[in-house]
Amino acid sequence: MSLEKTMDDVIVRSDEVAAAQAEGRAVVALESTIITHGMPYPQNLETARRVEAEVRASGAVPATIAVMGGRIRVGLSDAELDALAQAKGVAKLSRADLAVCLAQGGVGATTVAATMICAARAGIAVFATGGIGGVHKGAEDSFDISADLQELAQTPVTVVAAGAKAILDLPKTLEVLETLGVPVIAHVQDAFPAFWSRQSGLAAPLRLDTPEEIAAAHRMRGALGLPGGQLVANPIPLEAEIPADRLAPLIAQAQAEADAQGIAGKAVTPFLLQRLFELTEGQSLEANIALVLNNARLAARIARALLG
């Protein structure tokens, strides 16, 4: 008996996603760590449903991706979303541990990197998320750099995010993306956004203002045979942002607490997000939800433009 598995064995598409792909309609991939590690219940479930609704309202089909029962689930039913939102001990999957979780029949939520891998294998070219991972502060000593950056350099998916998470070292993150040859495209502004804030104080390397231009750039990378995808940095809506100068001291406080408690690796981001939720009295969560919805809308428009 062969132990080899094909993509058809590993990937299970929901009926909605399978029908959309068969009919040539736009599909947008969505990650699942925002559900399991990014927000508390029940806000995580409510947000997941709202993000999927935004994708549908913008003319595309949502495909929330997670590992369940030893399969990559591409598109989740409402019952599956509910179960995932309340599940305990869900693995946070990136490139390094995706295959092991699948082989062991575990339950895992996909980070940006893992979602890109799964989306590409499922034939989905556009992915909406909150913010990408990047270079952590102090990385010159810890070497803590998210696998998301390397994934953007090798997997051909356009990722729509509100920049990189503001808890990161943003100048170093942009430097690494440049070194890896990843296009960093700001949408409708010249500045690189900083997740909860529209301005990071850093200029974006590239700017494109329409979904059609972004889709054309995606197609051109394929025509040139260039590996990797592109990062579309979509600023949070003005009415929802938290100004960077207000956030900076709170981020510094949360980071100092993480250092004092010896928190490292994959545990850093969830800890910092939770502390900022507490320090902003919930405003960071409200901003997070607003920016994810905004990214879902733009991603759906890009996915539709890619069909043109």
Side-chain angles (χ1 to χ4, degrees):
M1 176 178 169
S2 173
L3 295 178
E4 294 295 322
K5 286 187 177 288
T6 68
M7 281 296 100
D8 288 340
D9 296 322
V10 175
I11 291 178
V12 177
R13 294 170 176 82
S14 68
D15 291 344
E16 183 184 22
V17 170
Q21 290 189 314
E23 296 163 11
R25 291 185 283 127
V27 179
V28 171
L30 302 169
E31 64 157 293
S32 46
T33 53
I34 195 172
I35 302 171
T36 58
H37 294 76
M39 297 181 186
Y41 181 83
Q43 289 98 327
N44 57 351
L45 177 60
E46 294 164 1
T47 300
R49 288 170 171 163
R50 289 178 65 190
V51 172
E52 289 199 345
E54 286 292 343
V55 171
R56 293 187 182 98
S58 299
V61 169
T64 299
I65 294 176
V67 170
M68 304 174 83
R71 299 288 188 273
I72 296 170
R73 306 301 300 263
V74 181
L76 301 180
S77 69
D78 193 65
E80 288 167 339
L81 276 179
D82 195 348
L84 190 64
Q86 298 187 66
K88 304 297 183 184
V90 178
K92 184 180 179 183
L93 301 178
S94 191
R95 171 175 279 266
D97 36 22
L98 174 61
V100 171
C101 185
L102 283 164
Q104 293 185 328
V107 177
T110 53
T111 61
V112 168
T115 305
M116 288 182 71
I117 293 167
C118 297
R121 301 304 189 276
I124 301 171
V126 182
F127 160 38
T129 185
I132 64 162
V135 180
H136 281 264
K137 293 176 180 177
E140 61 271 21
D141 296 317
S142 68
F143 285 83
D144 191 351
I145 301 174
S146 172
D148 295 352
L149 305 187
Q150 187 65 244
E151 206 60 52
L152 279 159
Q154 59 186 313
T155 300
V157 173
T158 288
V159 178
V160 181
K165 294 182 176 72
I167 56 179
L168 301 168
D169 187 322
L170 297 185
K172 287 188 177 68
T173 297
L174 284 176
E175 287 290 347
V176 171
L177 286 168
E178 180 183 23
T179 298
L180 294 173
V182 176
V184 178
I185 303 165
H187 180 239
V188 301
Q189 68 177 32
D190 295 322
F192 184 66
F195 199 59
W196 297 289
S197 309
R198 292 175 64 85
Q199 303 289 328
S200 65
L202 302 168
L206 299 164
R207 171 178 173 165
L208 293 174
D209 290 351
T210 69
E212 291 74 22
E213 290 174 314
I214 295 166
H218 178 105
R219 284 193 294 264
M220 187 57 72
R221 286 187 67 81
L224 291 170
L226 292 173
Q230 53 186 12
L231 173 63
V232 178
N234 186 35
I236 184 174
L238 181 61
E239 66 276 9
E241 81 160 331
I242 306 174
D245 57 358
R246 181 187 165 209
L247 271 175
L250 302 181
I251 292 172
Q253 177 182 338
Q255 184 66 60
E257 292 173 4
D259 294 341
Q261 295 177 40
I263 295 169
K266 288 185 177 182
V268 172
T269 296
F271 174 84
L272 295 178
L273 294 178
Q274 177 59 31
R275 283 300 289 130
L276 286 169
F277 171 76
E278 294 161 1
L279 293 169
T280 62
E281 299 180 338
Q283 189 179 356
S284 65
L285 177 59
E286 294 173 9
N288 196 350
I289 293 169
L291 66 85
V292 173
L293 295 172
N294 193 45
N295 294 341
R297 288 188 287 268
L298 177 59
R301 294 168 63 201
I302 295 168
R304 290 174 56 199
L306 273 172
L307 300 176

